[in-house]
Amino acid sequence: MPNKFYITNPIFYPNADLHLGHAYTTVLADVLARFHRLMDEEVYFLTGSDDNASKVARVAKENGVTPKAFVDRQAVKFKNLFECLNVSTDDFIQTSDQKRHWPGAQKMWRSLVAKGDIYKKSYSGLYCVGCEAFKAERDLIDGKCPDHSTVPEFLEEENYFFKLSEYTNKIKELISSNTLKIVPPTRKNEILALIDRGLEDVSFSRPVKGEAWGIPVPDDQTQTMYVWCDALVNYISALGYGQADDALYQKFWPADLHLVGKDILRFHAAIWPAMLLSAGLPVPKAVLAHGFINYGGRKMSKTVGNVIDPLRLIDEYGADAFRYYLVRELSLFEDSDMTIEHFKDAYNGSLANGLGNLVSRVMKMAETNLDQPVEVNPPADKAAMADYKQALTDFDIKKAADITWGLINDLDKQIQETEPFKLVKTNPEAGKELIAGLVQELYTIARMLNPLLPQTSVAIKELIKSNKSPEAPLFLRKD
Ligand code: MSP
């Protein structure tokens, strides 16, 4: 039986189109999904859309369509983007799907009630619609949510609450012991510090006001489930939890990795495991929180007007160039700043002049001097390959990309130093051998590129197989 690897993406809010920051989470997850498939593991890679947020209903209204029509339209756009990014998702779940998602969300709710972890109370507080979360005064800067630069609304209502506080010690123990591994360690420490300050019970429902949107609380039609309580369940509802056929759930749960941005780590590292513990279900094995991408020194946001449309860059540079930038040129765990100039420089430097040029040089020499394609071998014995595999096993995607580009640079240097194009003229046999060795090295690189730049990996392997140099550069220089 092959090992299984269940990897998830956050489900995206469909109130706006996805920008480069969102695409980042998906590309990172795709690299890991592809790597684990290469390791012959049975992979399930899930993403979807977080339809039931109150901000979605608002935007739909502004657009003059029903919320359901709006989210379905957005889901088509999201899927199109993922296709353009060449991400290999196995499934896309919409939380407005009453057949696939609602039974699981409601089953979870009933389990929490059965455990005695849901109670009703009157509540007033400051609610940030951007975060879909209540905020304490201490979380605000100048009275505004630091993530959305908006003043939260004051709400006073009767809600159901979830006894998150009861799970403080258990969650602390799970995280400290790495039973629930939080990557990187700095984020693990942050979460442990948050837990040490004490986890407070969370509001888990909202009263229905006006047109109902969201999942009704079982046995109380006057309340809708809080969007995070509903959204987190997507990770198991998509596998059939709460439905007649839950074979996928039996096979793939618990998740091997939830990949999320740092802003939503606490939902995944505290609230979600507490819900699972309360329902008596296994907790995920790991959560990775990546850093944020800022543009020109500021958080990418629609209001600031600095969001980058991934489709624009993919159109101009191609999906692999876009993926390259995300996985190699940005810091995985810290925040990074990007600009279009930086993107272009990186493209010209590492892809057009770097990898693209290298492929042309090696394959030109092979085509001119070798009578037949080199019979390449899987590079099992290469030390760099072992480091690369270890890096990806540890979810360190950037490190794996750095190791790959290390080999690309080494191979470039090797050509400069050994000058096979000269040697082949003075000593044809030795020259040919040298060139065949370079092709083998290039093959190793192509294999390593497989999860990172899948199209380029295939293109290089095809050239090696047919012993041809590329008709056009793999990456055309941009001026
Ligand atoms: N709907 C919730 C997730 C629910 S999961 C049960 C949500 N959605 S989101 O659309 O706002 O964000 C989705 C992902 O995009 C998150 O992982 C978030 O961190 C990531 N990013 C959004 N903007 C980003 C950047 N500027 N940079 C990097 N990642 C960013 O949160």
Side-chain angles (χ1 to χ4, degrees):
M1 274 282 282
N3 280 340
K4 65 94 184 169
F5 186 74
Y6 179 33
I7 178 164
T8 70
N9 243 194
I11 47 173
F12 298 94
Y13 288 130
N15 58 303
D17 292 344
L18 299 183
H19 58 60
L20 182 135
H22 302 115
Y24 187 47
T25 311
T26 310
V27 167
L28 293 176
D30 186 54
V31 171
L32 295 176
R34 286 176 183 273
F35 169 69
H36 282 271
R37 282 195 203 101
L38 277 182
M39 296 293 101
D40 277 334
E41 289 172 30
E42 209 166 334
V43 172
Y44 203 78
F45 174 15
L46 173 73
T47 191
S49 63
D50 196 349
D51 293 347
N52 301 325
S54 44
K55 56 187 167 189
V56 172
R58 281 187 203 182
V59 177
K61 206 167 179 184
E62 283 160 27
N63 279 268
V65 290
T66 62
K68 183 61 181 156
F70 184 78
V71 296
D72 287 350
R73 200 164 75 190
Q74 290 298 93
V76 172
K77 283 198 199 166
F78 289 7
K79 287 181 199 167
N80 174 54
L81 170 65
F82 297 152
E83 217 177 296
C84 293
L85 281 168
N86 200 10
V87 295
S88 59
T89 43
D90 293 293
D91 195 2
F92 186 98
I93 181 102
Q94 284 185 258
T95 54
S96 58
D97 189 327
Q98 298 196 16
K99 279 209 186 97
R100 289 194 67 199
H101 178 66
W102 288 29
Q106 291 183 323
K107 181 174 174 179
M108 170 61 82
W109 183 279
R110 288 185 200 281
S111 305
L112 305 183
V113 171
K115 187 76 195 294
D117 284 339
I118 295 283
Y119 63 97
K120 209 168 190 180
K121 85 167 187 189
S122 286
Y123 188 72
S124 64
L126 295 165
Y127 193 80
C128 170
V129 180
C131 297
E132 295 286 3
F134 279 103
K135 296 268 158 182
E137 293 279 357
R138 64 169 182 273
D139 299 331
L140 307 177
I141 297 175
D142 295 335
K144 290 182 180 169
C145 163
D147 283 344
H148 294 93
S149 302
T150 48
V151 179
E153 293 170 38
F154 180 76
L155 293 180
E156 196 161 17
E157 49 190 39
E158 202 174 43
N159 294 339
Y160 287 104
F161 270 69
F162 171 57
K163 290 187 189 165
L164 178 61
S165 56
E166 297 263 309
Y167 293 91
T168 305
N169 290 336
K170 279 188 197 143
I171 293 173
K172 187 177 173 183
E173 151 63 19
L174 285 173
I175 294 178
S176 312
S177 63
N178 287 336
T179 311
L180 169 54
K181 193 171 178 195
I182 308 291
V183 185
T186 45
R187 298 275 173 231
K188 172 179 170 177
N189 293 338
E190 263 175 41
I191 283 289
L192 286 172
L194 184 98
I195 296 172
D196 278 341
R197 288 200 295 275
L199 295 174
E200 287 173 18
D201 293 352
V202 275
S203 158
F204 250 28
S205 73
R206 310 284 314 276
V208 177
K209 286 183 201 139
E211 200 187 332
W213 178 244
I215 307 183
V217 165
D219 308 320
D220 185 350
Q221 300 292 317
T222 68
Q223 296 266 330
T224 304
M225 282 168 64
Y226 169 50
V227 66
W228 271 100
C229 155
D230 131 27
L232 289 161
V233 179
N234 90 87
Y235 299 132
I236 52 176
S237 66
L239 299 179
Y241 170 79
Q243 293 162 60
D245 178 3
D246 68 353
L248 284 174
Y249 172 78
Q250 298 300 339
K251 183 170 183 175
F252 284 106
W253 191 254
D256 295 271
L257 181 65
H258 290 312
L259 205 143
V260 301
K262 63 170 193 181
D263 56 327
I264 56 172
L265 175 62
R266 67 197 169 96
F267 295 95
H268 288 81
I271 299 180
W272 179 225
M275 288 166 70
L276 291 161
L277 288 170
S278 172
L281 304 177
V283 298
K285 293 184 192 162
V287 182
L288 179 150
H290 62 72
F292 254 58
I293 307 174
N294 299 323
Y295 187 85
R298 300 192 62 183
K299 179 178 153 40
M300 239 179 248
S301 105
K302 243 179 124 180
T303 359
V304 179
N306 64 347
V307 289
I308 299 288
D309 177 2
L311 287 174
R312 221 193 76 202
L313 286 176
I314 296 168
D315 252 10
E316 194 175 342
Y317 294 88
D320 273 0
F322 183 79
R323 293 170 66 105
Y324 166 78
Y325 188 78
L326 298 188
V327 299
R328 172 115 198 281
E329 297 289 334
L330 304 173
S331 154
L332 179 57
F333 299 124
E334 301 305 320
D335 291 356
S336 311
D337 195 51
M338 84 165 278
T339 59
I340 291 294
E341 292 70 36
H342 183 223
F343 185 97
K344 201 163 133 185
D345 287 349
Y347 171 88
N348 280 333
S350 296
L351 294 179
N353 296 345
L355 176 62
N357 202 15
L358 175 74
V359 173
S360 293
R361 284 177 85 186
V362 172
M363 292 316 300
K364 186 97 215 133
M365 286 189 276
E367 188 178 23
T368 320
N369 299 296
L370 307 182
D371 305 326
Q372 56 193 36
V374 176
E375 272 185 39
V376 284
N377 301 311
D381 55 339
K382 208 148 176 89
M385 195 61 157
D387 293 347
Y388 164 95
K389 281 187 187 165
Q390 192 57 52
L392 286 177
T393 305
D394 297 340
F395 313 134
D396 198 338
I397 299 151
K398 173 154 166 51
K399 187 171 176 190
D402 283 340
I403 293 170
T404 309
W405 257 265
L407 284 194
I408 292 172
N409 296 337
D410 285 352
L411 194 55
D412 243 344
K413 237 189 261 149
Q414 201 183 317
I415 297 173
Q416 274 162 31
E417 284 165 12
T418 56
E419 300 187 317
F421 38 90
K422 285 189 185 157
L423 183 66
V424 82
K425 287 187 186 123
T426 53
N427 183 347
E429 277 322 300
K432 281 184 192 180
E433 205 174 303
L434 199 57
I435 293 168
L438 297 177
V439 174
Q440 171 65 52
E441 292 284 314
L442 192 61
Y443 180 69
T444 306
I445 290 167
R447 281 177 56 101
M448 288 164 120
L449 286 173
N450 180 313
L452 304 163
L453 276 61
Q455 288 165 347
T456 307
S457 166
V458 171
I460 299 173
K461 283 184 196 163
E462 287 296 317
L463 293 169
I464 293 176
K465 219 161 112 192
S466 55
N467 198 35
K468 291 248 176 308
S469 60
E471 280 167 20
L474 292 186
F475 301 96
L476 208 58
R477 222 193 120 74
K478 305 270 179 192
D479 295 312

